[in-house]
Amino acid sequence: MKSRVKQFTAALLVLVLLSSTAAAYKGKQLARGPVEGIELTDQNGEDFDFDTDANGVVVVSFIFTRCPDVCPVLTQSLIAVEAELSDEEREDVTFVSISVDPEHDSTEVLSEYSERMGASWPHLTGTLEEMEPVWETFGVVVQQNVIDMHVADYQPGEASVTLIDACLLYTSDAADDTPCVDLGGRRI
């Protein structure tokens, strides 16, 4: 009971402290019980156990390293969220990325991805047999044929990323000199 109160208090504290930046991030809070009994392997080949390694508020993202668009943007968004946390707040938040493509996303591939992205948190993988119950626990539907088509359809010269801010719309392939600002209002 004391643990639940502590987790609730930590979550409330993080929400209050981030209220100024929270408006920039969209999402839905899931009403669920604790995630227990999940053990996977991180990008360093170390075991990661949700029961002992995931503390406080746990922010979970599902990615695959061959993803050419959404996954890198999601990872960079979480890096920005993490950067907004004070050291004290950071102690009460655990960021975790879980692969939806374990046949490709080995520990070595995840290590390269997290290093390239500049992400400091665990990137988890496992065998298909280990991953399927994890996806089910989180309500994530993974279809390998969809992942494969997504990767196959990617043409590097054709892709663009669109950032939307309250004031500006900026597309990475824009030909004009339209100024762009980040979510904090700073010119980039």
Side-chain angles (χ1 to χ4, degrees):
M1 179 68 176
K2 195 173 190 177
S3 174
R4 282 184 175 264
V5 171
K6 185 177 178 181
Q7 286 179 335
F8 176 77
T9 304
L12 185 60
L13 177 64
V14 169
L15 289 174
V16 169
L17 292 173
L18 294 178
S19 62
S20 63
T21 58
Y25 307 104
K26 304 295 183 208
K28 181 177 181 181
Q29 182 174 342
L30 300 176
R32 64 176 312 98
V35 176
E36 299 173 331
I38 295 178
E39 296 180 29
L40 297 171
T41 305
D42 73 12
Q43 72 270 26
N44 301 312
E46 301 290 325
D47 292 336
F48 184 94
D49 184 341
F50 271 80
D51 293 337
T52 57
D53 297 321
N55 301 309
V57 176
V58 182
V59 179
V60 180
S61 65
F62 290 86
I63 59 137
F64 63 105
T65 61
R66 297 184 294 160
C67 173
D69 42 36
V70 176
C71 302
V73 172
L74 174 61
T75 301
Q76 291 303 311
S77 294
L78 291 176
I79 289 169
V81 170
E82 183 183 40
E84 294 289 328
L85 298 174
S86 69
D87 290 340
E88 186 176 323
E89 293 166 338
R90 181 66 180 92
E91 291 177 14
D92 291 327
V93 179
T94 302
F95 289 85
V96 177
S97 292
I98 300 175
S99 175
V100 295
D101 189 13
E103 292 176 356
H104 179 267
D105 290 344
S106 65
T107 56
E108 295 82 11
V109 171
L110 286 172
S111 178
E112 188 278 326
Y113 177 86
S114 62
E115 192 171 309
R116 180 169 33 93
M117 292 291 127
S120 63
W121 59 82
H123 284 64
L124 307 177
T125 193
T127 65
L128 188 58
E129 294 75 26
E130 292 169 326
M131 301 303 290
E132 286 175 337
V134 174
W135 302 329
E136 185 177 329
T137 296
F138 285 97
V140 175
V141 176
V142 176
Q143 295 176 313
Q144 189 62 45
N145 62 329
V146 174
I147 292 172
D148 292 341
M149 284 179 25
H150 187 74
V151 173
D153 286 344
Y154 172 64
Q155 300 297 320
E158 297 174 4
S160 68
V161 175
T162 301
L163 304 173
I164 299 176
D165 182 81
C167 301
L168 293 174
L169 171 66
Y170 174 79
T171 305
S172 64
D173 56 1
D176 60 17
D177 292 329
T178 305
C180 180
V181 297
D182 65 13
L183 295 174
R186 296 175 294 272
R187 189 179 182 107
I188 55 174

